[in-house]
């Protein structure tokens, strides 16, 4: 597709359940980011994939959170044993140009996660 | 590590007022600097960017100048409109850390007629 695609757009889950959020980046983009945006808050960095390098996982809030990126393209963010404080909008972004910092990041519409 | 600090909101202005949203950064070397905007109900999108010192990014009447000496990238607009109401995020990318994109906390702007 032309842009970053995220699915599902909305997810309601019960506390304690696991969820998977998917991101399809723009074709050919080597960098992929996951951020979390809680209501009225800024963007909290979660994880960053850049090409074949080891991902920067420094923003993952706990070991219940994990992410993978298969074949350098699609990424899945998994939250295990969800808690109510995990409720937020999860944003994915991708950008081109491995080794350069000039290119912009393109964002998906996000997945709104509600834990009840 | 690299970081971005921007002024807290909300910022409330009347239409046609002058806007400044302050942004300062901490980084090793010379990063690229960005302003992103999030309109109500929409995704984040790039507003403008500057990739080296003294560069001025501009778009839709907004401007920001990359000031190395003050490590700042303040966003300005001479005459705001109601349609500019949104959340504005300052961000930097690189160098180091494999050019990770780092955001400030965001500033909500509300423009009233």
């Amino acid at each position: 597709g032309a842009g970053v695609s995220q699915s599902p757009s909305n997810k309601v889950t019960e506390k304690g359940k696991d969820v998977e959020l998917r991101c399809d980046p723009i074709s050919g983009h080597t960098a992929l980011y996951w951020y979390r945006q809680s209501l009225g808050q800024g963007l909290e960095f979660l994880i960053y994939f850049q090409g074949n390098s080891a991902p920067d996982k420094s923003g993952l809030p706990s070991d219940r959170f994990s992410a993978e990126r298969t074949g350098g393209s699609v990424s899945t963010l998994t939250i295990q044993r969800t808690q109510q404080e995990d409720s937020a909008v999860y944003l994915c972004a991708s950008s081109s140009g491995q080794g350069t910092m000039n290119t912009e990041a393109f964002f998906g519409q996000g997945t709104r996660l509600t834990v009840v | 590590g690299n970081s971005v600090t921007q002024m807290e909101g909300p910022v409330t202005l009347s239409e046609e007022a002058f806007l400044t949203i302050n942004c300062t950064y901490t980084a090793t070397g010379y990063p690229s600097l960005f302003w992103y905007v999030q309109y109500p109900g929409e995704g984040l999108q790039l507003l403008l960017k500057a990739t080296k010192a003294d560069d001025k990014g501009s778009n839709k009447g907004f401007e920001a100048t990359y000031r190395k000496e003050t490590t700042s990238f303040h966003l300005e607009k001479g005459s705001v409109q109601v349609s500019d109401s949104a959340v504005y995020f300052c961000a930097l990318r690189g160098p180091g850390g494999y050019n990770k994109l780092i955001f400030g906390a965001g500033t909500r702007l509300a423009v009233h007629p």
Side-chain angles (χ1 to χ4, degrees), chain A residues 79-100:
Chain A
I79 309 173
Q80 295 179 311
R81 304 180 303 280
T82 52
Q83 305 294 313
Q84 287 186 330
E85 60 262 29
D86 300 334
S87 297
V89 176
Y90 289 81
L91 294 170
C92 177
S94 71
S95 67
S96 64
Q98 184 172 359
T100 178

Side-chain angles (χ1 to χ4, degrees), chain A residues 31 33 35 37 40-43 45 48 50 53 56 58 91 95-97 99-105 107-109, chain B residues 30-32 34 36 38 41-44 46 49 51 89 93-95 97-106 108:
Chain A
Y33 304 83
Y35 295 89
Q37 187 175 28
Q41 302 298 311
L43 289 166
F45 166 76
Y48 168 45
Q50 174 58 287
S53 302
D56 180 341
S58 60
L91 294 170
S95 67
S96 64
T100 178
M101 56 189 186
N102 297 339
T103 54
E104 68 176 284
F107 281 81
Q109 291 296 313
Chain B
Y30 304 107
S32 291
F34 305 84
Y36 282 80
Q38 188 175 35
E42 298 186 16
L44 269 90
L46 179 70
K49 71 177 183 181
T51 58
F89 293 90
R93 190 177 182 195
Y98 298 108
N99 302 325
K100 184 170 68 180
L101 184 62
I102 297 171
F103 284 86
R108 183 175 298 277

Side-chain angles (χ1 to χ4, degrees), chain B residues 11-85:
Chain B
V11 174
T12 304
L13 295 173
S14 298
E15 207 165 22
E16 299 183 1
F18 184 85
L19 168 71
T20 300
I21 300 178
N22 290 338
C23 171
T24 57
Y25 67 89
T26 301
T28 52
Y30 304 107
S32 291
L33 302 173
F34 305 84
W35 276 100
Y36 282 80
V37 60
Q38 188 175 35
Y39 296 105
E42 298 186 16
L44 269 90
Q45 57 188 278
L46 179 70
L47 179 60
L48 53 84
K49 71 177 183 181
T51 58
K52 60 182 188 295
D54 300 325
D55 266 4
K56 177 184 285 188
S58 61
N59 186 25
K60 299 182 180 180
F62 290 88
E63 293 183 339
T65 301
Y66 189 139
R67 301 285 189 198
K68 180 172 63 69
E69 62 277 12
T70 54
T71 62
S72 64
F73 192 54
H74 305 322
L75 183 68
E76 297 182 336
K77 186 174 185 181
S79 176
V80 294
Q81 304 300 311
V82 172
S83 58
D84 293 326
S85 298

Side-chain angles (χ1 to χ4, degrees), chain A residues 25-96:
Chain A
I26 293 172
S27 178
H29 279 189
T30 57
L32 187 148
Y33 304 83
W34 283 99
Y35 295 89
R36 179 168 70 175
Q37 187 175 28
S38 301
L39 186 64
Q41 302 298 311
L43 289 166
E44 178 186 5
F45 166 76
L46 297 178
I47 188 167
Y48 168 45
F49 297 90
Q50 174 58 287
N52 295 321
S53 302
D56 180 341
K57 303 179 181 181
S58 60
L60 295 178
S62 77
D63 60 7
R64 297 187 294 105
F65 289 73
S66 62
E68 62 179 24
R69 188 178 184 190
T70 53
S73 181
V74 172
S75 178
T76 302
L77 176 69
T78 301
I79 309 173
Q80 295 179 311
R81 304 180 303 280
T82 52
Q83 305 294 313
Q84 287 186 330
E85 60 262 29
D86 300 334
S87 297
V89 176
Y90 289 81
L91 294 170
C92 177
S94 71
S95 67
S96 64

Side-chain angles (χ1 to χ4, degrees), chain A residues 13-33:
Chain A
T13 189
E14 293 181 353
K15 179 180 173 182
K17 300 283 190 182
D18 297 352
V19 294
E20 285 189 351
L21 312 180
R22 177 186 169 105
C23 174
D24 281 272
I26 293 172
S27 178
H29 279 189
T30 57
L32 187 148
Y33 304 83

